[in-house]
Amino acid sequence: MSVALLVAACSTESGLSAGSASKATTTTPDATTASPSTTEGGGVSLPSTVEPPTTAPASTSATTPATGTLDWGTCTGDSLTDGLECATLAVPLDYNTPDGATIDLALMRLPAADASQRVGAILTNPGGPGGSGLDFLNGLASRAADIFGSDLTNRFDLVGFDPRGVDQSDGIRCVDDAWLDAHLYLDPTPDTPEETAALAASDTEFNQACETALGGTLVDYSTEATARDMDRIRSAMGDDLLSFYGASYGTYLGGVYATLFPDRVRAMVLDSAYSPVGDDPVEQVKTQLVGFEGAFANWVTWCNGNSSCAFNDGTDAGVRWDGLVVSLDNTPLDVGGRTVNQAVLTTATIESLYSKATWSVLANALAAAVTGRGAGLLALADSYNQRDADGHYSTISQANTVITCASGLEDQAIADPTAAIAEIKAAAPRFAATLTADDFTDSCIDLTGAVQPVALAFAGKSPILVIGGTNDPATPFRWAQKMAGELHATLLTFDGEGHASLTSSKCVSDAAVKVLVELSLPAADKVCAPNAPVEPPVWWTAQPATVDGLTAIEIENGGELIGLPADTYVDFFATDANATTTVDRLKTAYEAAGWSTAGEQDLPLGDDSKQAGFVNKSGDIVVVTVIGAASFTNADVAPLAGLVPAGSGLVLRFPPPG
């Protein structure tokens, strides 16, 4: 008997850049994502079946004529969810000269499952700015029916796209990977002339490189231009009206579309709202930093009260984190020739605060760093900046800067930065610790010049649902309240931890589906709680009580961590052996307990990863994924290395979703 599995990745989107003020609002799946990205700090991409791997999807040209029609074809690439289709759409680079140069936008869709019921398409965006909509949809596709239900997936195509300047849509690469390695984690509190010079030169070097690469076209990578691209996509998909789901910065993008095209909106769900336009510059910066400060305080409370928190040594976890900041500033760690300093620590912490599912990962990485091992922190920071094991970055960090500037979303210069810094540091002492007066100069002037942002205002009648989380670190609740007022939308409150709540609360996802499918809004005062902890199936104890070399690990929200549907139970173990030996031990233990092996395969995570299924006489099924220590060089799963002791592998065990 073979078993079909369903495990997908959330998008991870960019959030707050270490050592800066407010640069972004984000996986991944998620993300989402992901989560992202919005994720975005999100899930891990694992395979979808225990059957032997099939051949890679066939290549297709799947090009789109400039006339604005879409020629959907089979997607080309690795690790793609079955059933996805891809196309490109040519759009004007500059909408002021619509017959001039063009950009080819990369699109992906999961077609409606029942063509006879098809209503239209739902366009999605995971945030950023700079998050990949293709990655988001690929991570979402295999569990779309679990999240949204068949009423939506039977009747609507789900469509993702890389916005202009992102990855496959003319992705912005002003500087190379080596430059990013040298500059992303610069010491924000320089102690030497060399460190001071490097920090001072960083923005100038990047701006000059972008000017050389893109020149006067930099202003064409704006949110407004992307919203106009969305209208071209809507038309090319054959829809008279746009249905849209956006997370984080994707909510502002959706709001800009609604502002520009109020009569072309069918329905919108805007999850984890980001609405900085019109904010006082000090309030704009303070809003996000206070959000992360609050999320960190909640993490500290969890760690102090939880014996399973690896960073809990009986002292206050926040004070211990402060000490590690000082230690890494004075004496950075070396990981394979790369430096782990306090900038890496801050980035890793921010990445982990996007979802409660990654709190345990952060705790383990911090505990390792105290003993001189910085690989866990570096893996989390690299996940945030989307750097793979080969040292290659996605475009998110560069696209984020350019899109932010081209959209007029950069923090504006203020008259008295000293007073502003004092005010913000009082409200967010840890995450504002490295703020300087330079953070309150308009660094976009030299890149794009002064740009007037689009202020949100919706004059249409179509339903728009704005979702805000009371404990959202990246886009705090104040912005959701503000956006709901600007768009005359209904506000839904998520009373839980994390950023982007679609997969964290069935109450939220049910409300989103009603808007997108039935055009029905919830009550204006509706509050959704997070999903309750998932209990194991009643038959779970029928499995072997122990397996040689495996040690149980307690992880809260573990299913969310690896992108499983919200109602799927999962438990974790550390293993002292490689994947092959661990699977052999599992097979021996399960067969001794009366279970049969239901399938086995190597995983595309490296040479040291496997997956197996087991079934008992009652038909109960369990799936076991083994990620050996050698596979943690794969960037997709590298952050999970922080869950286990150095040199150990990780075992995940869960019933097949659905």
Side-chain angles (χ1 to χ4, degrees):
M1 176 180 179
S2 63
V3 183
L5 308 186
L6 185 64
V7 186
C10 296
S11 170
T12 303
E13 66 170 338
S14 177
L16 178 71
S17 299
S20 75
S22 175
K23 292 293 184 185
T25 52
T26 147
T27 146
T28 80
D30 249 149
T32 172
T33 29
S35 138
S37 18
T38 79
T39 186
E40 162 166 21
V44 174
S45 181
L46 297 179
S48 59
T49 177
V50 293
E51 298 286 359
T54 59
T55 57
S59 176
T60 176
S61 58
T63 56
T64 302
T67 54
T69 60
L70 292 170
D71 182 14
W72 295 102
T74 305
C75 298
T76 302
D78 299 325
S79 303
L80 292 173
T81 302
D82 290 342
L84 291 171
E85 299 174 347
C86 289
T88 60
L89 178 67
V91 296
L93 174 62
D94 180 358
Y95 276 95
N96 291 318
T97 55
D99 296 326
T102 62
I103 288 177
D104 285 340
L105 301 178
L107 292 91
M108 178 183 286
R109 75 169 176 179
L110 179 68
D114 187 345
S116 67
Q117 295 188 56
R118 185 183 181 279
V119 174
I122 297 170
L123 191 63
T124 63
N125 180 273
S132 169
L134 302 191
D135 290 348
F136 176 73
L137 185 61
N138 185 42
L140 179 71
S142 63
R143 58 191 182 124
D146 294 291
I147 295 171
F148 296 114
S150 58
D151 278 352
L152 187 147
T153 55
N154 281 344
R155 300 165 65 185
F156 291 88
D157 302 340
L158 287 174
V159 178
F161 71 109
D162 280 357
R164 56 174 59 209
V166 175
D167 284 358
Q168 296 187 45
S169 295
D170 195 25
I172 295 169
R173 294 191 184 276
C174 302
V175 295
D176 61 17
D177 293 330
W179 191 94
L180 291 172
D181 267 348
H183 290 82
L184 276 180
Y185 305 128
L186 289 174
D187 186 345
T189 57
D191 305 307
T192 67
E194 292 78 14
E195 289 180 345
T196 300
L199 196 63
S202 182
D203 283 350
T204 299
E205 289 179 12
F206 179 79
N207 288 355
Q208 289 175 345
C210 284
E211 178 65 28
T212 299
L214 297 170
T217 68
L218 283 163
V219 294
D220 295 319
Y221 294 90
S222 67
T223 302
E224 179 177 345
T226 297
R228 295 187 184 282
D229 293 343
M230 288 166 52
D231 200 52
R232 293 288 184 111
I233 293 171
R234 173 201 59 77
S235 178
M237 292 189 304
D239 289 352
D240 293 331
L241 301 174
L242 180 74
S243 301
F244 180 75
Y245 168 82
S248 196
Y249 159 80
T251 64
Y252 177 68
L253 175 60
V256 170
Y257 182 93
T259 300
L260 298 177
F261 306 105
D263 296 330
R264 299 178 191 172
V265 175
R266 176 183 170 273
M268 285 189 171
V269 173
L270 306 177
D271 186 1
S272 295
Y274 171 61
S275 183
V277 178
D279 274 355
D280 172 87
V282 176
E283 190 62 35
Q284 182 178 340
V285 175
K286 187 168 69 172
T287 294
Q288 194 173 58
L289 292 177
V290 168
F292 279 106
E293 198 79 27
F296 183 78
N298 291 343
W299 176 86
V300 169
T301 299
W302 165 82
C303 188
N304 287 343
N306 193 329
S307 61
S308 69
C309 174
F311 201 56
N312 182 347
D313 69 347
T315 62
D316 181 77
V319 173
R320 199 176 183 207
W321 187 91
D322 294 337
L324 188 57
V325 170
V326 175
S327 174
L328 292 178
D329 186 22
N330 294 332
T331 310
L333 303 176
D334 179 84
V335 177
R338 300 178 67 203
T339 298
V340 176
N341 59 9
Q342 86 262 40
V344 172
L345 168 61
T346 303
T347 306
T349 302
I350 287 169
E351 166 75 357
S352 304
L353 294 178
Y354 275 85
S355 170
K356 193 174 183 180
T358 45
W359 284 10
S360 294
V361 181
L362 174 62
N364 282 271
L366 292 170
V370 168
T371 65
R373 295 177 290 120
L377 290 178
L378 189 58
L380 283 167
D382 283 346
S383 176
Y384 175 90
N385 285 307
Q386 297 186 17
R387 180 190 191 271
D388 66 23
D390 296 326
H392 182 66
Y393 290 86
S394 80
T395 62
I396 191 167
S397 59
Q398 301 187 59
N400 182 284
T401 298
V402 172
I403 295 170
T404 297
C405 288
S407 304
L409 300 178
E410 174 70 5
D411 311 318
Q412 301 300 305
I414 60 174
D416 189 358
T418 301
I421 290 169
E423 177 184 338
I424 296 170
K425 284 187 176 182
R430 288 187 172 95
F431 292 92
T434 60
L435 278 181
T436 69
D438 287 342
D439 290 302
F440 290 95
T441 58
D442 191 345
S443 60
C444 288
I445 288 292
D446 294 334
L447 189 63
T448 58
V451 176
Q452 187 67 30
V454 177
L456 302 185
F458 179 55
K461 302 297 184 183
S462 300
I464 297 179
L465 179 66
V466 173
I467 303 168
T470 56
N471 296 314
D472 187 328
T475 56
F477 190 66
R478 184 182 76 83
W479 275 333
Q481 294 173 305
K482 180 171 175 284
M483 180 176 284
E486 291 164 337
L487 299 178
H488 303 288
T490 296
L491 176 63
L492 174 66
T493 301
F494 171 61
D495 188 17
E497 293 289 339
H499 180 59
S501 54
L502 192 67
T503 59
S504 300
S505 170
K506 190 173 187 301
C507 171
V508 170
S509 60
D510 285 349
V513 168
K514 282 186 177 294
V515 174
L516 293 170
V517 176
E518 302 175 12
L519 306 180
S520 174
L521 288 162
D525 57 352
K526 187 172 181 62
V527 177
C528 284
N531 293 323
V534 181
E535 297 296 327
V538 293
W539 52 266
W540 203 247
T541 55
Q543 297 176 86
T546 60
V547 177
D548 288 346
L550 267 62
T551 304
I553 303 170
E554 183 179 340
I555 301 175
E556 291 196 30
N557 301 87
E560 183 181 347
L561 177 63
I562 61 170
L564 284 165
D567 59 352
T568 304
Y569 181 79
V570 58
D571 54 18
F572 295 78
F573 303 84
T575 177
D576 63 2
N578 64 23
T580 298
T581 299
T582 299
V583 169
D584 287 344
R585 290 174 177 176
L586 287 161
K587 288 164 67 175
T588 298
Y590 273 90
E591 288 169 4
W595 294 64
S596 301
T597 301
E600 181 181 345
Q601 70 168 3
D602 294 331
L603 300 185
L605 302 176
D607 295 332
D608 191 22
S609 57
K610 289 183 176 291
Q611 194 170 64
F614 301 98
V615 59
N616 65 13
K617 293 179 181 178
S618 299
D620 303 317
I621 300 169
V622 64
V623 177
V624 181
T625 297
V626 181
I627 304 171
S631 286
F632 288 129
T633 57
N634 185 308
D636 287 338
V637 295
L640 296 183
L643 293 173
V644 296
S648 297
L650 181 66
V651 178
L652 303 78
R653 190 175 66 168
F654 49 90

